[in-house]
Amino acid sequence: MSIINYIEKYRKSKRTLYTTPSHNQGEFVAPDSLKMLGRKFFTCDYSEIEGFDNLSNPIGIIKTLQDKAAKIYSSKATFFLTNGSTSGVIAAMYSLLSRNDKVLIARNCHKSVYNGLVLTGAVPIWLMPSYNEEWGVFDSINLDYLEEILSKNKDIKAFIMTNPTYEGIMFDVFRISSICKKYNVKLVVDEAHGALWNFNKALGTPSILQGADIVIQSLHKTAGALNPSALLHIAKDSDINPKSVQQALNLITTTSPSYPLLINIEGTLNYLNSVRGKQDLHELIKNVNRLIRSLKLIPNLEVYSYNNDVTKLLIKVTNMSGFELSDILFDKYHIEDELANEKSVLFLLGIGTTKSKLRKLEKALFDLCSNNIKIILEDKKEKHFVPVEPRVRYIPSLVWNKPSKEIDIKYSLSRVSMELITDYPPGVPVLLPGEVIKKEHIEYLSDRQKIKVLI
C-alpha cells in the first residue's frame, strides 16, 4: 500500500492522538500558515505512530515504496531523502570512507562534499575537470589523467563526481566507471540535476545504468517535487551493502521524517513513471528543442549544445557578459535566470516549464538582441573566477574548529584559509578551509576587506 492510500485509510479510523506534531493534523494551524499552505497540508503530517513506518528502519509502507522506486530505477536499493541531495552525498561518503582514507573528488563537486570530508576525516585528492573559458563552465574530465591519478594512488577508496554539471554538461560515466573498477575504486555520482533521465533517454543515460556504485538525485531540481526531495540509489551490481548506507543516513537524518515530503516523493515518482508523465516529459523536450532551434537563428546569440541535457539552457550574447544579460532580462523583461557568470547565463527548464514561459523567453531574447539593448551596471562589478588547482595544506577535518583570525585580504597570500567560499549556486568551492590562498583567490575576492585564516 502507498503512503497516500495508507493515510487516506487511516483518517477514516478516527483515532484520537496525543502525539507530535502538536498541530494535531490541522486542528490548529497558525493563521499565516493556513493562508499560504491551507489546512490539508497539515492533515497528512504525522509522527511515527502505531501502524506508520520509520524512515531510519523502514519495514512497512516506506520500505514498500522504496522497493518500488528501486524497480523503477533498476537499482539494488533506493532511499528516500527528505533533506536533499546533500544528505545523500554525505551518507555515501560515510558508508565508504573512514578517517585518513583517500578519496578522489572532481573539483566541480557541490560544497556538500566538504561537509563529508569534515565528518569522515577522509583525505581529498582533487581532480580538475577541463574548464571552458569561452562559456565559463567545466566541460570535460580527462580520462587519461583520471587513470594516471588512480594508478599512482592505489589506496584511493572512492571517486566522487558530478554528472550532469549544474549547466547540464554530461560526462562519459561508462568509461569513468570502467577505469574505477579497474583500480577497485567505488564511483559516487552526484546526479542531482539528472532526475528526469530515467524517464526519457533523449535527456541522458542515468549513471546508475553506466556502472556507478551510488547515485544521488534531486527530485526538486527538474522533476517537479518540493524542496528538498531527493533519492539515493545503489547499483544492482555494486557490492555496497544497503545496510551500511542506511546506517550512514541515520547519523545525519532527522528522527522526525516529514510525511508530506514522503507523500510528495511518492506522488512525483508515480507521475513520472506514468503514461501521462512520460508524455508530458516528451512534450517538454519537444518544446525546448523547438526553442533552441529558434534561438540559434537569433543574431549574436549562441546556445551551448555540446553533450548537454537540454533542460539546462546555457546561452551567451555577443559583446555582453552573462551578468549584464542576466540584469537586462530581470530589469526589462522580469525574467530571472538560474545562474549567471562572466560569459553565459543558465536557464533551468524543468517539468513545470510551460510552452508560454518558453515563448516569453524567446521573445525577450529576440527583442534584446535585435535592439542591441544595453544597461549600465550600477555598483555591480561582478567578477569571474577561473578555477585554479587547489593546494591542500591541511585536510578539512584537521582544521575544523581550529583557532583562526581575520586579516586584511591583501596580506593573505600563502596563508591557510579557514573559510569555505563558493559561488552559490552552484556551490562549487572557490576556496576551502585548509587550502593555501593564492593570488588568483585574492584577485577574485578583492572586494572583501577581510578573510579568515588559520593562526
Side-chain angles (χ1 to χ4, degrees), residues 391-394 403-419 431-439 441-442 451-455:
R391 182 181 167 197
V392 180
R393 180 74 59 80
Y394 302 105
S404 64
K405 65 177 180 180
E406 284 193 336
I407 65 171
D408 192 315
I409 197 166
K410 292 184 293 186
Y411 306 116
S412 65
L413 183 65
S414 298
R415 298 295 296 267
V416 175
S417 171
M418 285 295 285
E419 293 195 42
L431 192 61
L432 294 178
E435 293 180 351
V436 174
I437 299 169
K438 299 184 176 183
K439 63 180 179 63
H441 298 126
I442 296 173
I451 189 168
K452 194 179 293 185
V453 298
L454 182 68
I455 295 178

Side-chain angles (χ1 to χ4, degrees), residues 5 7-8 58 97 117 149 160 170 219 229 234 293 305 325 328 336-337 347 387 390 398 424 437 450:
N5 292 338
I7 289 179
E8 288 290 350
L97 302 169
L117 290 171
I149 294 174
I160 303 173
M170 297 180 283
L219 289 174
S229 310
I234 303 174
R293 288 194 297 272
S305 55
L325 175 57
I328 294 171
E336 185 164 358
D337 54 72
F347 303 89
L398 289 182
Y424 206 92
I437 299 169
K450 304 285 185 179

Side-chain angles (χ1 to χ4, degrees), residues 96-125:
L96 296 175
L97 302 169
S98 299
R99 184 163 297 279
N100 296 323
D101 281 348
K102 287 184 181 178
V103 55
L104 182 63
I105 307 171
R107 187 63 180 192
N108 64 324
C109 277
H110 186 265
K111 70 174 187 175
S112 57
V113 172
Y114 166 77
N115 300 338
L117 290 171
V118 171
L119 294 170
T120 62
V123 179
I125 299 174

